Amino acid sequence: MAWVGNQTLISHFILLGLFTQSPLHFFLFSIIMVMFLVALSGNGLMILLINVDSRLHNPMYFFLSWLSLMDLMLISTIVPRMATDFLLGHGAISFTGCGLQILFFLTLLGDECFLLAFMAYDRYVAISNPLRYSVVMSRRVCWLMVTVSWLFGLVDGLIQAIFTLHFPYCGSQEVDHFFCEVPAILKLACADTSLYETMIYVCCILMLLLPFSVISASYLQILAAVIHMRSAEGRQKAFATCSSHMAVVSLFYGAAMITYMRPQAYHSSKQDKVVSAFYTMITPMLNPLIYSLRNKEVAEALRKLLGRCPCGGGQA
């Protein structure tokens, strides 16, 4: 068949990127690099604070440290490659490099879906059943939840990376995106991908809706428990903690659902790139800011850490 011979001619893809070489796009690129540095420092600082401050050694912050690590890895999977392509003026990426990017990206995306669900369940147990909290959310259970998150994400990433690059690719090498996202890559395939695209669509719905159902059920139970609380201070603390998590869930799931739960016919390259930029760059930057600004314990841990530094006043 003709396309079998043509397949060997394509040894790599060319990512067209997010920007052109215009002055405005140089300015936007600079903003993204600042966001990247803020995300790295914010998530790195969150991990450091949770590990060094004993007051933050509980299940909620254990999950938060893993969320920060996932965000740090997610943005590092996308932005350095995108920045290199923009500065060098070309976006050539090998099949292997593209497959690895798909694997890492989808693994981390799946990880966050399930981790956010486990974080919601943790808050449900803490607020609705505080006397049994330490038993239900034991260290062993927390590690099991994190392991399950990574396992589901890894399986999803492996399946999609292998099957996506299994198709023959010929003709155009240009991918109208700034990283190897599966829907954009499949547009270049020289074979019928409709069945596979349907399977991806169903898989993504399950990967998003199952954790989101757990989150919704957990917060409905939390809301019922908070309404019946007698202590105004207890209600305020519960709302402060849960509102931070709900803000993160809304940002992450909102963008992911727009990308993966819309039928392919409703996708456009410009919209896909904007939405992808949101949950690969903006959300990882905002998550540590949301948790630190609305969480007194994190703010106090930061002040304590700064107080230990010579530049923070020389306190021992």
Side-chain angles (χ1 to χ4, degrees), residues 31-43 46 68 71-72 74-75 112 248 251 277-293:
I31 292 176
I32 283 183
M33 293 313 297
V34 171
M35 289 166 52
F36 175 62
L37 294 175
V38 170
L40 287 184
S41 56
N43 285 293
M46 188 68 73
S68 293
D71 280 337
L72 196 153
L74 179 62
I75 198 169
E112 288 208 25
V248 171
L251 290 171
F278 189 86
Y279 67 78
T280 57
M281 301 177 203
I282 298 175
T283 302
M285 178 196 70
L286 290 178
N287 285 354
L289 296 177
I290 290 171
Y291 277 108
S292 60
L293 290 175

Side-chain angles (χ1 to χ4, degrees), residues 7-276:
Q7 182 189 2
T8 59
L9 298 177
I10 297 182
S11 59
H12 61 277
F13 296 114
I14 298 175
L15 299 171
L16 297 183
L18 190 59
F19 304 120
T20 61
Q21 299 290 323
S22 67
L24 174 61
H25 282 188
F26 268 103
F27 174 70
L28 294 175
F29 171 76
S30 301
I31 292 176
I32 283 183
M33 293 313 297
V34 171
M35 289 166 52
F36 175 62
L37 294 175
V38 170
L40 287 184
S41 56
N43 285 293
L45 181 60
M46 188 68 73
I47 294 169
L48 176 64
L49 289 175
I50 292 170
N51 279 278
V52 301
D53 196 307
S54 58
R55 292 173 298 178
L56 304 183
H57 292 175
N58 60 51
M60 183 179 80
Y61 293 108
F62 173 78
F63 291 130
L64 182 54
S65 68
W66 278 103
L67 179 66
S68 293
L69 178 62
M70 290 172 185
D71 280 337
L72 196 153
M73 294 174 67
L74 179 62
I75 198 169
S76 298
T77 300
I78 305 300
V79 174
R81 171 82 209 193
M82 184 208 72
T84 302
D85 291 343
F86 177 75
L87 294 173
L88 295 180
H90 67 79
I93 184 170
S94 66
F95 272 69
T96 302
C98 193
L100 288 173
Q101 194 173 55
I102 291 172
L103 172 61
F104 291 144
F105 168 71
L106 289 176
T107 296
L108 292 164
L109 206 64
D111 290 345
E112 288 208 25
C113 283
F114 286 94
L115 186 69
L116 288 171
F118 289 135
M119 290 174 73
Y121 178 74
D122 168 70
R123 290 299 83 206
Y124 157 68
V125 176
I127 293 171
S128 301
N129 199 357
L131 297 178
R132 288 183 52 80
Y133 179 66
S134 59
V135 176
V136 176
M137 298 303 297
S138 65
R139 186 172 182 82
R140 180 174 174 273
V141 170
C142 291
W143 274 107
L144 181 61
M145 287 178 169
V146 169
T147 303
V148 168
S149 298
W150 277 101
L151 186 60
F152 273 106
L154 181 60
V155 169
D156 181 52
L158 275 172
I159 291 173
Q160 292 205 46
I162 292 170
F163 275 90
T164 299
L165 296 185
H166 176 72
F167 288 105
Y169 292 91
C170 53
S172 176
Q173 298 170 284
E174 295 183 342
V175 180
D176 193 7
H177 216 298
F178 59 93
F179 69 98
C180 289
E181 194 163 32
V182 172
I185 297 293
L186 289 178
K187 291 178 182 178
L188 306 183
C190 320
D192 183 12
T193 62
S194 56
L195 178 60
Y196 177 56
E197 287 181 20
T198 303
M199 290 174 62
I200 290 177
Y201 182 67
V202 172
C203 178
C204 289
I205 288 177
L206 291 175
M207 288 285 288
L208 288 169
L209 287 188
L210 285 177
F212 191 72
S213 299
V214 173
I215 293 170
S216 301
S218 297
Y219 275 99
L220 284 173
Q221 294 291 329
I222 288 171
L223 181 61
V226 169
I227 289 173
H228 290 92
M229 280 184 179
R230 296 180 180 179
S231 167
E233 184 181 350
R235 282 197 300 270
Q236 185 178 2
K237 185 177 180 181
F239 275 124
T241 303
C242 294
S243 62
S244 297
H245 187 247
M246 283 304 298
V248 171
V249 167
S250 300
L251 290 171
F252 180 80
Y253 274 92
M257 286 179 175
I258 289 172
T259 300
Y260 291 102
M261 291 182 65
R262 283 185 305 164
Q264 194 65 27
Y266 294 93
H267 283 248
S268 72
S269 296
K270 287 185 178 179
Q271 288 178 344
D272 287 348
K273 286 194 279 190
V274 170
V275 176
S276 296

